[in-house]
Structure formats: structure tokens, C-alpha cells
Amino acid sequence: DAKTTQPNSMESNEEEPVHLPCNHSTISGTDYIHWYRQLPSQGPEYVIHGLTSNVNNRMASLAIAEDRKSSTLILHRATLRDAAVYYCILIKWGADGLTFGKGTHLIIQP
Amino acid sequence: ETGVTQTPRHLVMGMTNKKSLKCEQHLGHNAMYWYKQSAKKPLELMFVYSLEERVENNSVPSRFSPECPNSSHLFLHLHTLQPEDSALYLCASSQGDGGAVNSPLHFGNGTRLTVT
């Protein structure tokens, strides 16, 4: 499976945008890019996913590089409730389950 | 409320005990998963059930025994565990068509297991 690389931790201020990077230089053409996050004392929750084009939903935006070797999760206006570990995961069509890495621990300062 | 309910939330058991973890999903999904999350380690996929058939077993020791009696319920039976099995055990479900790509996994909030 292709691997992803994320910073161990990032810090941002409340009400400011947050850009969480993910490198996946060995991504294959059949890999989808998924993002999940895990709030304290909870299970992970789905955030967003994409293949080639940028994606937007009510939680976040996903910007995918043209060569697909990196992607960025964008939280447009961070709140204290966005403090969590964010996971960038590559998934092939038909694959069962997700393989999690260590993720990025996002800290939001008031 | 995630639609996936795990009980109990906390469990302390001795190494000679037998206990079971329960997971119930109310989302109409047809695939269910067990994950283990140990301190300082990434989540590890343990078992996958699709349409009540086990489709993946990631080299999990036999002291962990899953059971999926129907598409809404999943159990993890535990016996003669070791202290290093102490962890957060997470259950998840998905619709299963196309795997996890087009059907995001919905996780419960886990059972915190301590083996003494």
C-alpha cells in the first residue's frame, strides 16, 4: 500500500484557516485520498475524500495537487472543536477497511 | 451520536477471565470492522465482516474471537488476554459497496479495555 506522510502536530488560532498537508509521493492511479479525524475520547469520523479534483463539503475542503503526490485538508475557520488528530489515508477501490498512520495532532489556540 | 453503539465503554478484566465486547449499528450498513488502538500506536485493523462473512483477519491472536450474527451486530469475545492487550477497541460499519472508498466508515466511541 502507498504510504502517506503528515506532520506530527500543528498549531493554529481559533477562527483562522488551517491547512493540513499530506504527502503521498508513491500514490497509484487507483488510490483515493480520504481524510478522517479523531476527537478526544471518540472514534474517528470521516471528513472528506477525493480522487483527482478538489472537493468541498460542509466540514472542509480538499485540495489535491495536479500530480496527486500531495494533498491539503483545509478548515476554513477553525474552532476549538476542531482540535483532533487528522488522518490522511489512501484507499484502493474495493479495499476492505482503512490503514491508519499516526496523523497530525491539530491544536487550536483560543 | 454516530449510529454505532459500543458496550461497555470501559472494561477491566483479569488474564483468566472471559468477556465480550458488543457493537450495534443502526445505519443499515452491511460491513462491520474491529480496530485496536493502543497508546502511541496507529489504529490497527483486526477483523472485517461483509454481509456477515469474515473477509479479513489481520493475523490476530486466537484469544480474540469475533462473531457477527447479523449485519447489525458484532461481538469480540475475549479470553486469556495479556496486559499488552490493554487498548481502546473500536467498532465501525460501512455500506460495503466498493469497499471503504465510496462508503465512509462510521466508528463507535470504543471500549477502553484494561487487562490486569
Side-chain angles (χ1 to χ4, degrees):
Chain A
D1 287 341
K3 293 196 180 297
T4 63
T5 304
Q6 299 178 253
N8 288 334
S9 65
M10 289 183 62
E11 201 166 311
S12 184
N13 295 320
E14 197 177 8
E15 299 186 5
E16 291 185 357
V18 180
H19 291 236
L20 294 159
C22 181
N23 286 322
H24 28 78
S25 58
T26 60
I27 190 170
S28 74
T30 56
D31 286 331
Y32 287 72
I33 303 162
H34 282 234
W35 284 80
Y36 281 73
R37 71 179 185 180
Q38 187 172 17
L39 281 64
S41 302
Q42 294 187 26
E45 66 174 343
Y46 167 80
V47 177
I48 199 166
H49 79 277
L51 182 62
T52 56
S53 303
N54 294 345
V55 184
N56 299 296
N57 67 20
R58 64 174 180 82
M59 289 181 72
S61 296
L62 177 60
I64 301 172
E66 198 167 329
D67 63 5
R68 299 209 327 127
K69 293 186 176 183
S70 66
S71 60
T72 303
L73 180 70
I74 302 165
L75 307 179
H76 294 286
R77 195 164 164 269
T79 69
L80 296 176
R81 293 196 64 220
D82 291 320
V85 179
Y86 286 78
Y87 300 98
C88 170
I89 303 168
L90 302 183
I91 311 171
K92 292 189 189 302
W93 181 266
D96 292 308
L98 306 170
T99 300
F100 286 81
K102 294 184 178 179
T104 296
H105 184 200
L106 177 63
I107 299 164
I108 304 296
Q109 297 289 357
Chain B
E1 177 58 50
T2 68
V4 179
T5 304
Q6 291 189 244
T7 54
R9 287 300 306 273
H10 301 272
L11 178 62
V12 179
M13 61 185 288
M15 288 190 283
T16 58
N17 290 160
K18 289 185 181 181
K19 295 286 185 184
S20 296
L21 309 185
K22 179 182 176 183
C23 176
E24 184 173 1
Q25 59 98 359
H26 313 276
L27 301 168
H29 290 165
N30 59 16
M32 297 188 78
Y33 312 78
W34 279 117
Y35 278 85
K36 175 184 178 182
Q37 187 171 31
S38 305
K40 311 289 186 188
K41 290 176 69 174
L43 282 86
E44 302 169 60
L45 179 62
M46 301 175 72
F47 301 104
V48 180
Y49 276 83
S50 179
L51 298 172
E52 300 149 41
E53 299 273 336
R54 190 190 311 181
V55 296
E56 188 153 340
N57 174 349
N58 273 356
S59 304
V60 179
S62 60
R63 57 186 184 269
F64 295 92
S65 175
E67 179 190 1
C68 187
N70 55 63
S71 59
S72 299
H73 293 87
L74 184 66
F75 295 90
L76 188 63
H77 304 300
L78 316 170
H79 63 97
T80 58
L81 294 192
Q82 306 297 312
E84 59 265 29
D85 296 322
S86 299
L88 180 67
Y89 288 85
L90 290 157
C91 172
S93 70
S94 71
Q95 184 50 34
D97 297 329
V101 166
N102 262 356
S103 175
L105 269 63
H106 293 250
F107 284 83
N109 287 330
T111 294
R112 175 71 61 186
L113 174 67
T114 303
V115 181
T116 61

